[in-house]
Amino acid sequence: MPSDATPDPYAHPIAFGQRLKILRTRRGMTRAQLGGLVGDRTASWVRALEEGRLQTPKLETVLRMAEVLRLPDLSALVGNSSVPVSLFAGPGHARLGAVKDAINAYPLTMRREAPTTAHIQARLARAWTARHSAPNHRDVIGALLPDLIRDAQLAVRQADRAADRRAAQSALSEVYSLSQFFVAYQPDAPLLWRIAERGMIAAQESEDPHAIGVASWLTAQAHRDSGPGHYDAADKVTADALEFLTPLLPDASDHVLAITGALIFEAGYTAARRRETGTAWRRWDQARAMALRLPGDYYHPITSFSRAIMGAHAVTVAVELRAGGESVRQAAASDATAIPSRPRRARHRIEEARGYQLDGQPDVALDTLDRAHQAAPETIKYNGYAKAIVLEHVESKVPARRRRASELAFTLGLLTA
C-alpha cells in the first residue's frame, strides 16, 4: 500500500482510536458532530479517543458510535469482537440475490410480450398490500419482485406510443420504489443506490408528479441515511421536489397531497438529525397541515403518510433531537394501533423504544421492542437502533433486565447459544 494511502480500518491491529478517526472521516463527519450525536460529547473528547489518550468507551457508547457512523458491523469499529452483531446490515435476506440479479439484468431482447401496464399496476397494488399486512413482509415482496422488475422493464422497452411509454415508466419507477424498501438495511449499499437512481430516472421519464415525488422521497432518505456529509444533498432533493409539486397542489389528487406531506416531513427529519429543533418542529407542523387536507381514513400506500402517522412522526422528531422526555410525551400521545401497516407500526414501536431508552426507562424500552417484534419480526431484525438497545442491556447488572435483553437478542439472531 502506498505510504500516502488511507489506512484500512478493518486491518488488524489498528487501534480503536485510529479506526474511529478513519471511519468518521469517511462518513464526512466532524468531531463535534460525532460527539453531539453520540450523546452531547465534545469534539475534544472525540479527539482524545482518536489519539489514544482515552481508553475505549463502554459497550453502550461504542454501540451508539457504530449506530451514528452507520457501520455494517460492530467489528468495523472495535476489530475482533466477541459480540457477533450486524448493526445496520444483517447477513442479507435469502431472496436478496434473486432481487439483485433482476435489478442488474437488462432486457435487450423481445422474445415475449410484456404484460400491460394495468396488469403491472394491479400486481404492484397487491404487493404493497402484502408489504403492509404480512409479518414476514420482506419474504413476501422478495418473492414478487424479480418478475415484477423484469416485466416492468420489458413494458418500457415495448411501449410504442409516448403516452404508453410514460405510463410504463411510472409503473417501473414504483417497482423500483418497492425494491428500495426491500433492499433497505441489507448489506449492499451500491445496490440500494442503483435502485434509487434508476427509480428517479424512470419517474422523471414518466412525467408523473406522484412518481417523481415518491422517487424524490426515497432518494432523500438514501442521502440522509448516508450520514451528515450527505444532509445537504437530502435537503436539495426535498427542496427541488417541493418546488415542483407546490404549484400543482390546488388541483392535486390525494396521492400527490400525501407525497408532498411526506416530503415536507422528510425535510423536518433531516433537520432533526442536524439538531435544528425549530426547523424540525416547524416542518412537522407543515406536514400535519397537509395531512389534515386528506380524508380521515386515507393512508398512502408507499410512504404511509396520513393523519394517523403524524403522531409517530412526532416521536421520531423528538428522538432524533435526543429529547428523551419529549419523546416519551409524544409516544403517550400517539396511537400505534391507528397505523394499519405492520412494518410501519413496528418501526414506530422501535422509535418509541428509543425514546424510553433516552429517558432512562430501559425496561419499558425492551417491552416496547417486544411489541415491535410481534408486529413485524423482519422490521426489527434489520433495524440497527433496536439491536443497539438490546445489546446494551445484555450486559445489564439488573438480572431481570439482562435476562429479558438476552431473550430478545437470541430471538433477533444477535447472539447464539
Side-chain angles (χ1 to χ4, degrees), residues 319-359:
V319 167
E320 292 295 344
L321 291 171
R322 309 292 290 169
E326 182 63 22
S327 301
V328 170
R329 284 190 291 274
Q330 293 294 346
S334 64
D335 181 8
T337 62
I339 302 174
S341 168
R342 292 184 71 141
R344 188 59 185 86
R345 198 182 318 141
R347 166 71 187 280
H348 173 50
R349 292 297 192 194
I350 293 168
E351 296 292 274
E352 287 184 322
R354 293 177 66 196
Y356 288 120
Q357 179 79 353
L358 284 169
D359 198 48

mmCIF file of all heavy atoms in Angstrom, residues 319-359:
data_model
loop_
_atom_site.group_PDB
_atom_site.id
_atom_site.type_symbol
_atom_site.label_atom_id
_atom_site.label_comp_id
_atom_site.label_asym_id
_atom_site.label_seq_id
_atom_site.Cartn_x
_atom_site.Cartn_y
_atom_site.Cartn_z
ATOM 1 N N VAL A 319 -37.068 12.000 19.140
ATOM 2 C CA VAL A 319 -35.967 11.047 19.342
ATOM 3 C C VAL A 319 -34.712 11.537 18.627
ATOM 4 O O VAL A 319 -33.611 11.504 19.187
ATOM 5 C CB VAL A 319 -36.371 9.647 18.848
ATOM 6 C CG1 VAL A 319 -35.148 8.736 18.756
ATOM 7 C CG2 VAL A 319 -37.403 9.020 19.775
ATOM 8 N N GLU A 320 -34.862 11.987 17.375
ATOM 9 C CA GLU A 320 -33.695 12.454 16.632
ATOM 10 C C GLU A 320 -33.097 13.704 17.252
ATOM 11 O O GLU A 320 -31.902 13.959 17.130
ATOM 12 C CB GLU A 320 -34.064 12.711 15.167
ATOM 13 C CG GLU A 320 -34.399 11.456 14.381
ATOM 14 C CD GLU A 320 -33.218 10.516 14.224
ATOM 15 O OE1 GLU A 320 -32.063 10.952 14.449
ATOM 16 O OE2 GLU A 320 -33.426 9.343 13.876
ATOM 17 N N LEU A 321 -33.916 14.489 17.948
ATOM 18 C CA LEU A 321 -33.410 15.656 18.669
ATOM 19 C C LEU A 321 -32.816 15.266 20.012
ATOM 20 O O LEU A 321 -32.337 16.138 20.752
ATOM 21 C CB LEU A 321 -34.541 16.680 18.876
ATOM 22 C CG LEU A 321 -35.039 17.386 17.615
ATOM 23 C CD1 LEU A 321 -36.294 18.194 17.915
ATOM 24 C CD2 LEU A 321 -33.958 18.292 17.029
ATOM 25 N N ARG A 322 -32.845 13.967 20.315
ATOM 26 C CA ARG A 322 -32.281 13.431 21.559
ATOM 27 C C ARG A 322 -32.992 14.002 22.785
ATOM 28 O O ARG A 322 -32.381 14.203 23.846
ATOM 29 C CB ARG A 322 -30.772 13.703 21.649
ATOM 30 C CG ARG A 322 -29.966 13.292 20.433
ATOM 31 C CD ARG A 322 -29.911 11.808 20.249
ATOM 32 N NE ARG A 322 -29.098 11.174 21.293
ATOM 33 C CZ ARG A 322 -29.048 9.857 21.493
ATOM 34 N NH1 ARG A 322 -29.779 9.060 20.763
ATOM 35 N NH2 ARG A 322 -28.291 9.365 22.450
ATOM 36 N N ALA A 323 -34.286 14.236 22.655
ATOM 37 C CA ALA A 323 -35.094 14.771 23.756
ATOM 38 C C ALA A 323 -35.897 13.628 24.364
ATOM 39 O O ALA A 323 -37.005 13.316 23.905
ATOM 40 C CB ALA A 323 -36.018 15.877 23.245
ATOM 41 N N GLY A 324 -35.336 12.999 25.397
ATOM 42 C CA GLY A 324 -35.960 11.817 25.976
ATOM 43 C C GLY A 324 -37.345 12.077 26.543
ATOM 44 O O GLY A 324 -38.300 11.346 26.252
ATOM 45 N N GLY A 325 -37.469 13.113 27.368
ATOM 46 C CA GLY A 325 -38.758 13.407 27.973
ATOM 47 C C GLY A 325 -39.811 13.732 26.938
ATOM 48 O O GLY A 325 -40.959 13.250 27.022
ATOM 49 N N GLU A 326 -39.471 14.534 25.936
ATOM 50 C CA GLU A 326 -40.417 14.883 24.873
ATOM 51 C C GLU A 326 -40.772 13.650 24.047
ATOM 52 O O GLU A 326 -41.921 13.495 23.616
ATOM 53 C CB GLU A 326 -39.825 15.968 23.985
ATOM 54 C CG GLU A 326 -40.749 16.444 22.877
ATOM 55 C CD GLU A 326 -42.016 17.106 23.403
ATOM 56 O OE1 GLU A 326 -42.028 17.573 24.566
ATOM 57 O OE2 GLU A 326 -43.004 17.168 22.635
ATOM 58 N N SER A 327 -39.804 12.757 23.830
ATOM 59 C CA SER A 327 -40.073 11.519 23.095
ATOM 60 C C SER A 327 -41.141 10.700 23.800
ATOM 61 O O SER A 327 -42.067 10.179 23.165
ATOM 62 C CB SER A 327 -38.789 10.689 22.966
ATOM 63 O OG SER A 327 -37.774 11.388 22.304
ATOM 64 N N VAL A 328 -41.021 10.586 25.118
ATOM 65 C CA VAL A 328 -41.988 9.813 25.892
ATOM 66 C C VAL A 328 -43.356 10.480 25.868
ATOM 67 O O VAL A 328 -44.398 9.811 25.733
ATOM 68 C CB VAL A 328 -41.485 9.627 27.341
ATOM 69 C CG1 VAL A 328 -42.573 9.037 28.232
ATOM 70 C CG2 VAL A 328 -40.247 8.730 27.349
ATOM 71 N N ARG A 329 -43.394 11.806 25.971
ATOM 72 C CA ARG A 329 -44.681 12.516 25.911
ATOM 73 C C ARG A 329 -45.347 12.319 24.553
ATOM 74 O O ARG A 329 -46.567 12.085 24.482
ATOM 75 C CB ARG A 329 -44.463 14.007 26.190
ATOM 76 C CG ARG A 329 -44.227 14.334 27.657
ATOM 77 C CD ARG A 329 -44.269 15.844 27.910
ATOM 78 N NE ARG A 329 -43.123 16.527 27.319
ATOM 79 C CZ ARG A 329 -41.956 16.663 27.936
ATOM 80 N NH1 ARG A 329 -41.769 16.153 29.146
ATOM 81 N NH2 ARG A 329 -40.964 17.309 27.351
ATOM 82 N N GLN A 330 -44.572 12.385 23.504
ATOM 83 C CA GLN A 330 -45.144 12.183 22.179
ATOM 84 C C GLN A 330 -45.585 10.737 21.977
ATOM 85 O O GLN A 330 -46.600 10.470 21.314
ATOM 86 C CB GLN A 330 -44.128 12.582 21.096
ATOM 87 C CG GLN A 330 -43.796 14.063 21.053
ATOM 88 C CD GLN A 330 -44.974 14.929 20.640
ATOM 89 O OE1 GLN A 330 -45.985 14.432 20.138
ATOM 90 N NE2 GLN A 330 -44.852 16.231 20.862
ATOM 91 N N ALA A 331 -44.836 9.800 22.550
ATOM 92 C CA ALA A 331 -45.232 8.389 22.452
ATOM 93 C C ALA A 331 -46.565 8.159 23.154
ATOM 94 O O ALA A 331 -47.426 7.416 22.665
ATOM 95 C CB ALA A 331 -44.146 7.493 23.054
ATOM 96 N N ALA A 332 -46.760 8.799 24.299
ATOM 97 C CA ALA A 332 -48.015 8.659 25.040
ATOM 98 C C ALA A 332 -49.183 9.256 24.263
ATOM 99 O O ALA A 332 -50.316 8.766 24.350
ATOM 100 C CB ALA A 332 -47.893 9.322 26.407
ATOM 101 N N ALA A 333 -48.900 10.303 23.481
ATOM 102 C CA ALA A 333 -49.967 10.971 22.729
ATOM 103 C C ALA A 333 -50.279 10.272 21.409
ATOM 104 O O ALA A 333 -51.354 10.477 20.838
ATOM 105 C CB ALA A 333 -49.567 12.419 22.450
ATOM 106 N N SER A 334 -49.366 9.447 20.917
ATOM 107 C CA SER A 334 -49.569 8.777 19.625
ATOM 108 C C SER A 334 -50.356 7.485 19.818
ATOM 109 O O SER A 334 -50.443 6.945 20.917
ATOM 110 C CB SER A 334 -48.223 8.476 18.965
ATOM 111 O OG SER A 334 -47.478 7.561 19.745
ATOM 112 N N ASP A 335 -50.898 6.992 18.729
ATOM 113 C CA ASP A 335 -51.703 5.769 18.778
ATOM 114 C C ASP A 335 -51.169 4.794 17.747
ATOM 115 O O ASP A 335 -51.486 4.894 16.558
ATOM 116 C CB ASP A 335 -53.173 6.096 18.506
ATOM 117 C CG ASP A 335 -54.082 4.865 18.568
ATOM 118 O OD1 ASP A 335 -53.585 3.788 18.968
ATOM 119 O OD2 ASP A 335 -55.268 4.992 18.211
ATOM 120 N N ALA A 336 -50.355 3.854 18.193
ATOM 121 C CA ALA A 336 -49.755 2.891 17.265
ATOM 122 C C ALA A 336 -50.807 2.020 16.595
ATOM 123 O O ALA A 336 -50.640 1.601 15.447
ATOM 124 C CB ALA A 336 -48.747 2.014 18.011
ATOM 125 N N THR A 337 -51.913 1.750 17.294
ATOM 126 C CA THR A 337 -52.941 0.876 16.721
ATOM 127 C C THR A 337 -53.639 1.518 15.530
ATOM 128 O O THR A 337 -54.290 0.826 14.742
ATOM 129 C CB THR A 337 -53.985 0.502 17.788
ATOM 130 O OG1 THR A 337 -54.651 1.689 18.242
ATOM 131 C CG2 THR A 337 -53.326 -0.180 18.977
ATOM 132 N N ALA A 338 -53.504 2.841 15.375
ATOM 133 C CA ALA A 338 -54.129 3.526 14.242
ATOM 134 C C ALA A 338 -53.320 3.361 12.965
ATOM 135 O O ALA A 338 -53.780 3.730 11.884
ATOM 136 C CB ALA A 338 -54.297 5.007 14.552
ATOM 137 N N ILE A 339 -52.116 2.818 13.066
ATOM 138 C CA ILE A 339 -51.258 2.622 11.902
ATOM 139 C C ILE A 339 -51.559 1.254 11.302
ATOM 140 O O ILE A 339 -51.248 0.219 11.913
ATOM 141 C CB ILE A 339 -49.771 2.714 12.299
ATOM 142 C CG1 ILE A 339 -49.479 4.072 12.946
ATOM 143 C CG2 ILE A 339 -48.873 2.495 11.089
ATOM 144 C CD1 ILE A 339 -48.080 4.197 13.510
ATOM 145 N N PRO A 340 -52.166 1.186 10.126
ATOM 146 C CA PRO A 340 -52.563 -0.118 9.585
ATOM 147 C C PRO A 340 -51.414 -0.981 9.085
ATOM 148 O O PRO A 340 -51.539 -2.202 9.007
ATOM 149 C CB PRO A 340 -53.508 0.258 8.430
ATOM 150 C CG PRO A 340 -53.130 1.644 8.051
ATOM 151 C CD PRO A 340 -52.632 2.309 9.295
ATOM 152 N N SER A 341 -50.290 -0.363 8.741
ATOM 153 C CA SER A 341 -49.156 -1.112 8.202
ATOM 154 C C SER A 341 -48.369 -1.787 9.316
ATOM 155 O O SER A 341 -47.906 -1.123 10.252
ATOM 156 C CB SER A 341 -48.237 -0.162 7.425
ATOM 157 O OG SER A 341 -47.010 -0.787 7.124
ATOM 158 N N ARG A 342 -48.202 -3.094 9.235
ATOM 159 C CA ARG A 342 -47.461 -3.811 10.273
ATOM 160 C C ARG A 342 -46.004 -3.369 10.352
ATOM 161 O O ARG A 342 -45.509 -3.074 11.449
ATOM 162 C CB ARG A 342 -47.556 -5.325 10.040
ATOM 163 C CG ARG A 342 -48.942 -5.880 10.256
ATOM 164 C CD ARG A 342 -48.974 -7.391 10.119
ATOM 165 N NE ARG A 342 -48.302 -8.038 11.238
ATOM 166 C CZ ARG A 342 -48.734 -9.151 11.819
ATOM 167 N NH1 ARG A 342 -49.846 -9.735 11.410
ATOM 168 N NH2 ARG A 342 -48.067 -9.685 12.809
ATOM 169 N N PRO A 343 -45.259 -3.285 9.235
ATOM 170 C CA PRO A 343 -43.868 -2.837 9.355
ATOM 171 C C PRO A 343 -43.754 -1.397 9.827
ATOM 172 O O PRO A 343 -42.846 -1.063 10.594
ATOM 173 C CB PRO A 343 -43.307 -3.010 7.939
ATOM 174 C CG PRO A 343 -44.475 -3.148 7.054
ATOM 175 C CD PRO A 343 -45.554 -3.752 7.870
ATOM 176 N N ARG A 344 -44.695 -0.538 9.410
ATOM 177 C CA ARG A 344 -44.625 0.847 9.881
ATOM 178 C C ARG A 344 -44.985 0.933 11.355
ATOM 179 O O ARG A 344 -44.426 1.745 12.096
ATOM 180 C CB ARG A 344 -45.571 1.738 9.050
ATOM 181 C CG ARG A 344 -45.399 3.239 9.358
ATOM 182 C CD ARG A 344 -43.974 3.664 9.081
ATOM 183 N NE ARG A 344 -43.703 5.054 9.455
ATOM 184 C CZ ARG A 344 -43.337 5.457 10.671
ATOM 185 N NH1 ARG A 344 -43.225 4.568 11.656
ATOM 186 N NH2 ARG A 344 -43.062 6.714 10.924
ATOM 187 N N ARG A 345 -45.907 0.091 11.813
ATOM 188 C CA ARG A 345 -46.240 0.049 13.233
ATOM 189 C C ARG A 345 -45.045 -0.437 14.039
ATOM 190 O O ARG A 345 -44.737 0.095 15.111
ATOM 191 C CB ARG A 345 -47.438 -0.874 13.459
ATOM 192 C CG ARG A 345 -48.146 -0.672 14.803
ATOM 193 C CD ARG A 345 -49.288 -1.671 14.964
ATOM 194 N NE ARG A 345 -50.019 -1.810 13.719
ATOM 195 C CZ ARG A 345 -50.488 -2.966 13.269
ATOM 196 N NH1 ARG A 345 -50.297 -4.091 13.937
ATOM 197 N NH2 ARG A 345 -51.159 -3.023 12.135
ATOM 198 N N ALA A 346 -44.347 -1.440 13.515
ATOM 199 C CA ALA A 346 -43.153 -1.940 14.200
ATOM 200 C C ALA A 346 -42.072 -0.866 14.254
ATOM 201 O O ALA A 346 -41.404 -0.694 15.276
ATOM 202 C CB ALA A 346 -42.630 -3.186 13.496
ATOM 203 N N ARG A 347 -41.910 -0.129 13.153
ATOM 204 C CA ARG A 347 -40.930 0.959 13.138
ATOM 205 C C ARG A 347 -41.280 2.007 14.194
ATOM 206 O O ARG A 347 -40.401 2.532 14.890
ATOM 207 C CB ARG A 347 -40.894 1.579 11.746
ATOM 208 C CG ARG A 347 -40.179 2.920 11.663
ATOM 209 C CD ARG A 347 -38.666 2.783 11.837
ATOM 210 N NE ARG A 347 -38.057 4.097 11.902
ATOM 211 C CZ ARG A 347 -37.788 4.876 10.851
ATOM 212 N NH1 ARG A 347 -38.078 4.460 9.626
ATOM 213 N NH2 ARG A 347 -37.229 6.048 11.017
ATOM 214 N N HIS A 348 -42.562 2.310 14.326
ATOM 215 C CA HIS A 348 -42.989 3.275 15.337
ATOM 216 C C HIS A 348 -42.663 2.759 16.739
ATOM 217 O O HIS A 348 -42.202 3.517 17.597
ATOM 218 C CB HIS A 348 -44.484 3.541 15.199
ATOM 219 C CG HIS A 348 -45.052 4.400 16.286
ATOM 220 N ND1 HIS A 348 -44.495 5.607 16.657
ATOM 221 C CD2 HIS A 348 -46.125 4.221 17.110
ATOM 222 C CE1 HIS A 348 -45.206 6.144 17.645
ATOM 223 N NE2 HIS A 348 -46.191 5.312 17.941
ATOM 224 N N ARG A 349 -42.893 1.488 16.977
ATOM 225 C CA ARG A 349 -42.565 0.912 18.285
ATOM 226 C C ARG A 349 -41.070 1.031 18.569
ATOM 227 O O ARG A 349 -40.660 1.297 19.715
ATOM 228 C CB ARG A 349 -42.994 -0.555 18.342
ATOM 229 C CG ARG A 349 -44.493 -0.791 18.334
ATOM 230 C CD ARG A 349 -45.162 -0.193 19.554
ATOM 231 N NE ARG A 349 -46.541 -0.641 19.695
ATOM 232 C CZ ARG A 349 -47.426 -0.086 20.509
ATOM 233 N NH1 ARG A 349 -47.088 0.962 21.248
ATOM 234 N NH2 ARG A 349 -48.651 -0.556 20.588
ATOM 235 N N ILE A 350 -40.259 0.840 17.566
ATOM 236 C CA ILE A 350 -38.808 0.974 17.749
ATOM 237 C C ILE A 350 -38.452 2.410 18.110
ATOM 238 O O ILE A 350 -37.612 2.663 18.980
ATOM 239 C CB ILE A 350 -38.055 0.509 16.480
ATOM 240 C CG1 ILE A 350 -38.247 -0.995 16.279
ATOM 241 C CG2 ILE A 350 -36.570 0.848 16.575
ATOM 242 C CD1 ILE A 350 -37.807 -1.497 14.921
ATOM 243 N N GLU A 351 -39.083 3.381 17.440
ATOM 244 C CA GLU A 351 -38.840 4.783 17.766
ATOM 245 C C GLU A 351 -39.292 5.085 19.194
ATOM 246 O O GLU A 351 -38.621 5.828 19.921
ATOM 247 C CB GLU A 351 -39.584 5.690 16.780
ATOM 248 C CG GLU A 351 -39.105 5.573 15.345
ATOM 249 C CD GLU A 351 -37.702 6.122 15.168
ATOM 250 O OE1 GLU A 351 -37.558 7.331 14.958
ATOM 251 O OE2 GLU A 351 -36.743 5.320 15.246
ATOM 252 N N GLU A 352 -40.418 4.514 19.606
ATOM 253 C CA GLU A 352 -40.856 4.683 20.989
ATOM 254 C C GLU A 352 -39.819 4.111 21.953
ATOM 255 O O GLU A 352 -39.504 4.719 22.987
ATOM 256 C CB GLU A 352 -42.193 3.977 21.207
ATOM 257 C CG GLU A 352 -43.386 4.674 20.585
ATOM 258 C CD GLU A 352 -44.691 3.970 20.921
ATOM 259 O OE1 GLU A 352 -44.693 2.720 20.956
ATOM 260 O OE2 GLU A 352 -45.690 4.652 21.162
ATOM 261 N N ALA A 353 -39.289 2.938 21.617
ATOM 262 C CA ALA A 353 -38.278 2.313 22.469
ATOM 263 C C ALA A 353 -37.037 3.196 22.576
ATOM 264 O O ALA A 353 -36.443 3.327 23.656
ATOM 265 C CB ALA A 353 -37.904 0.935 21.912
ATOM 266 N N ARG A 354 -36.654 3.822 21.491
ATOM 267 C CA ARG A 354 -35.519 4.746 21.539
ATOM 268 C C ARG A 354 -35.811 5.899 22.496
ATOM 269 O O ARG A 354 -34.926 6.343 23.239
ATOM 270 C CB ARG A 354 -35.224 5.291 20.144
ATOM 271 C CG ARG A 354 -34.716 4.272 19.147
ATOM 272 C CD ARG A 354 -34.526 4.900 17.775
ATOM 273 N NE ARG A 354 -33.468 5.901 17.776
ATOM 274 C CZ ARG A 354 -33.305 6.809 16.814
ATOM 275 N NH1 ARG A 354 -34.159 6.875 15.811
ATOM 276 N NH2 ARG A 354 -32.309 7.668 16.882
ATOM 277 N N GLY A 355 -37.056 6.383 22.472
ATOM 278 C CA GLY A 355 -37.442 7.463 23.370
ATOM 279 C C GLY A 355 -37.369 7.048 24.830
ATOM 280 O O GLY A 355 -36.843 7.783 25.675
ATOM 281 N N TYR A 356 -37.886 5.867 25.135
ATOM 282 C CA TYR A 356 -37.821 5.375 26.512
ATOM 283 C C TYR A 356 -36.376 5.146 26.943
ATOM 284 O O TYR A 356 -36.011 5.399 28.103
ATOM 285 C CB TYR A 356 -38.624 4.076 26.645
ATOM 286 C CG TYR A 356 -40.114 4.281 26.579
ATOM 287 C CD1 TYR A 356 -40.875 3.663 25.591
ATOM 288 C CD2 TYR A 356 -40.764 5.098 27.501
ATOM 289 C CE1 TYR A 356 -42.250 3.853 25.528
ATOM 290 C CE2 TYR A 356 -42.138 5.291 27.438
ATOM 291 C CZ TYR A 356 -42.874 4.674 26.448
ATOM 292 O OH TYR A 356 -44.230 4.873 26.383
ATOM 293 N N GLN A 357 -35.552 4.687 26.012
ATOM 294 C CA GLN A 357 -34.141 4.495 26.320
ATOM 295 C C GLN A 357 -33.481 5.832 26.648
ATOM 296 O O GLN A 357 -32.726 5.947 27.631
ATOM 297 C CB GLN A 357 -33.449 3.837 25.117
ATOM 298 C CG GLN A 357 -31.968 3.593 25.287
ATOM 299 C CD GLN A 357 -31.658 2.369 26.118
ATOM 300 O OE1 GLN A 357 -32.557 1.740 26.688
ATOM 301 N NE2 GLN A 357 -30.396 2.007 26.201
ATOM 302 N N LEU A 358 -33.768 6.841 25.846
ATOM 303 C CA LEU A 358 -33.223 8.174 26.097
ATOM 304 C C LEU A 358 -33.694 8.727 27.440
ATOM 305 O O LEU A 358 -32.956 9.451 28.121
ATOM 306 C CB LEU A 358 -33.652 9.135 24.983
ATOM 307 C CG LEU A 358 -32.935 9.036 23.642
ATOM 308 C CD1 LEU A 358 -33.664 9.873 22.595
ATOM 309 C CD2 LEU A 358 -31.487 9.495 23.759
ATOM 310 N N ASP A 359 -34.902 8.373 27.819
ATOM 311 C CA ASP A 359 -35.500 8.899 29.043
ATOM 312 C C ASP A 359 -35.112 8.081 30.273
ATOM 313 O O ASP A 359 -35.627 8.325 31.359
ATOM 314 C CB ASP A 359 -37.026 8.926 28.892
ATOM 315 C CG ASP A 359 -37.689 9.837 29.921
ATOM 316 O OD1 ASP A 359 -37.230 10.979 30.087
ATOM 317 O OD2 ASP A 359 -38.667 9.390 30.558
#
